[in-house]
Amino acid sequence: MGRRCTARGSGRRRAGRVGGGLAALLAGLLVTGCAAFDTDDDVRRARELAAELYPGELEVVDARILFPETTGSEVTLSVEDDPDAAVRFRVDAGKDRCDGGPDCTDALREAVDRARREARDLRAMREAFDGCGHPVLAADEKLTAPWIEARVSDGTLDEVLARAGACAQRWVTARAEQGPKEVPGWVTVNFAAPGTAEDLPAAKKRLPTVLRLTHGPRLAALAGKAYYVAAYPVGEDAGHTVDAASARLRIVSPLEERQAFSRRIDASVLPALRATYPEAVTSGGAGMGVWRLEPGTVRRMRGYVLFCERPPADGERCPGDLAALVTSDPRGGDAEVVDVLTDIRDERGVLRLPPQ
């Protein structure tokens, strides 16, 4: 459990009446001699509520302070009859408030209902992908995008997309059975390289499954290397058909790699642009936008490079009045200009680009 510096007597109060901002908060804590915080009162209140509303059904398994707030904690409870469910709600025992409101009874009931829904959604995802040979390594916090292992290459691409698409179909079918509002327009699947699971950070085993599969360090490790993301369109037909043949594939890279890609793509595309626009300058940062892989290959990508026909007269940065649709290799080299779009902003200057 986390620790919080508390002020006893008439409930909790701020550690110091120091000016706003994080620095002032920390200074106030140091002035009062508080180097740590605790969650004890909030956990105690959560246990009281659990015993009153769900006797014998809930157990506190974790709690954390709500820094930089100076009161209240997020308390997590497990559910006796559902090891997947994690009940998370904010408790401020000093102010007798939960989830920001005065009715702690309703707050806990809503948190339990939410936890059971999340557990149900997670099971639907895992049963779909585990059941077709692609165990779920992790999932985003909203439980809308699973991570699975797959070897993605030009030689395996069609098979990987088809197999993952079949898993996605099972998932969509299960969600449709829960209700029409549960069916998404697109399904997203993240691909990690084979063997990734062996080195992933793991949350404490006593935590509910939903917390172990959305564990922050685990997701950070997965996103710490370049990975592939497939987006599958879901049909509006009665069977909610997942169209694996129309899947859109892209690479998601860490920030430093995307910045390097941006520099390379600008340098690679400028010679082609200047053949038509001799004074062309790019707006920079092209690699930070959406670049999708060309259908059927992982060796060519396409995206937009914004540029100006000539440098702005005032010496400011080029905002991008024109857009070149460009293909390149995944490193940003060997660029080819497919098309140049001239009418790319509306009357308010908002960028309007068609899909690649």
Side-chain angles (χ1 to χ4, degrees):
M1 304 294 179
R3 299 293 301 170
R4 179 185 296 277
C5 179
T6 58
R8 305 298 179 183
S10 59
R12 297 178 180 175
R13 66 178 184 274
R14 293 191 179 276
R17 306 294 293 181
V18 188
L22 179 59
L25 172 63
L26 293 175
L29 294 175
L30 291 172
V31 165
T32 58
C34 296
F37 300 87
D38 76 62
T39 60
D40 294 351
D41 291 350
D42 301 325
V43 167
R44 189 178 303 112
R45 178 59 177 144
R47 287 190 174 124
E48 291 172 356
L49 289 165
E52 176 185 344
L53 300 176
Y54 301 92
E57 296 181 43
L58 304 180
E59 179 184 355
V60 173
V61 293
D62 197 18
R64 67 180 183 88
I65 59 174
L66 295 175
F67 190 81
E69 297 178 37
T70 54
T71 62
S73 312
E74 182 186 74
V75 180
T76 301
L77 305 95
S78 61
V79 181
E80 175 67 25
D81 63 353
D82 191 342
D84 296 329
V87 180
R88 289 166 285 187
F89 75 126
R90 288 175 294 127
V91 183
D92 191 336
K95 296 180 179 179
D96 198 21
R97 296 175 69 84
C98 299
D99 279 348
D103 197 329
C104 285
T105 297
D106 285 349
L108 180 56
R109 287 198 176 106
E110 290 175 7
V112 170
D113 290 344
R114 183 169 59 248
R116 290 192 181 279
R117 287 195 303 271
E118 290 176 348
R120 176 203 66 188
D121 294 344
L122 179 62
R123 281 191 291 273
M125 176 194 291
R126 295 186 73 195
E127 289 169 5
F129 285 87
D130 292 15
C132 67
H134 285 289
V136 174
L137 305 181
D140 67 309
E141 291 188 356
K142 293 184 178 180
L143 304 177
T144 58
W147 287 81
I148 63 175
E149 288 186 346
R151 191 178 303 281
V152 181
S153 67
D154 274 3
T156 64
L157 183 57
D158 290 343
E159 180 184 358
V160 166
L161 290 177
R163 285 174 58 87
C167 300
Q169 182 67 74
R170 290 164 57 108
W171 185 27
V172 168
T173 299
R175 294 172 70 173
E177 292 173 355
Q178 297 170 358
K181 293 183 179 181
E182 300 293 328
V183 180
W186 291 80
V187 171
T188 300
V189 181
N190 301 317
F191 298 110
T196 299
E198 300 174 3
D199 300 321
L200 289 178
K204 298 174 183 177
K205 292 184 178 180
R206 65 185 175 86
L207 293 177
T209 312
V210 71
L211 293 184
R212 288 187 282 112
L213 288 183
T214 59
H215 184 46
R218 191 175 186 88
L219 294 175
L222 286 164
K225 299 178 180 179
Y227 61 94
Y228 294 98
V229 178
Y232 295 88
V234 179
E236 297 182 359
D237 56 303
H240 306 290
T241 302
V242 173
D243 187 0
S246 300
R248 296 180 181 178
L249 191 68
R250 61 191 177 96
I251 299 176
V252 178
S253 303
L255 177 61
E256 290 184 1
E257 292 184 26
R258 284 184 285 140
Q259 291 172 332
F261 176 84
S262 288
R263 292 191 294 270
R264 293 190 194 104
I265 198 70
D266 284 345
S268 186
V269 79
L270 265 177
L273 292 177
R274 286 176 175 168
T276 304
Y277 305 94
E279 297 182 69
V281 292
T282 63
S283 61
M288 309 306 283
V290 177
W291 284 71
R292 293 193 175 91
L293 289 159
E294 295 274 25
T297 182
V298 295
R299 296 182 180 178
R300 296 295 295 179
M301 305 170 64
R302 68 166 48 203
Y304 286 108
V305 174
L306 300 183
F307 70 100
C308 296
E309 188 171 348
R310 59 183 56 85
D314 53 13
E316 294 187 2
R317 179 176 173 233
C318 160
D321 302 320
L322 304 166
L325 179 59
V326 174
T327 69
S328 78
D329 63 38
R331 291 180 54 81
D334 191 24
E336 296 180 8
V337 176
V338 177
D339 194 12
V340 172
L341 307 182
T342 58
D343 187 16
I344 64 171
R345 296 186 184 275
D346 64 17
E347 63 279 2
R348 295 173 297 173
V350 178
L351 192 64
R352 304 292 187 195
L353 292 173
Q356 294 102 317

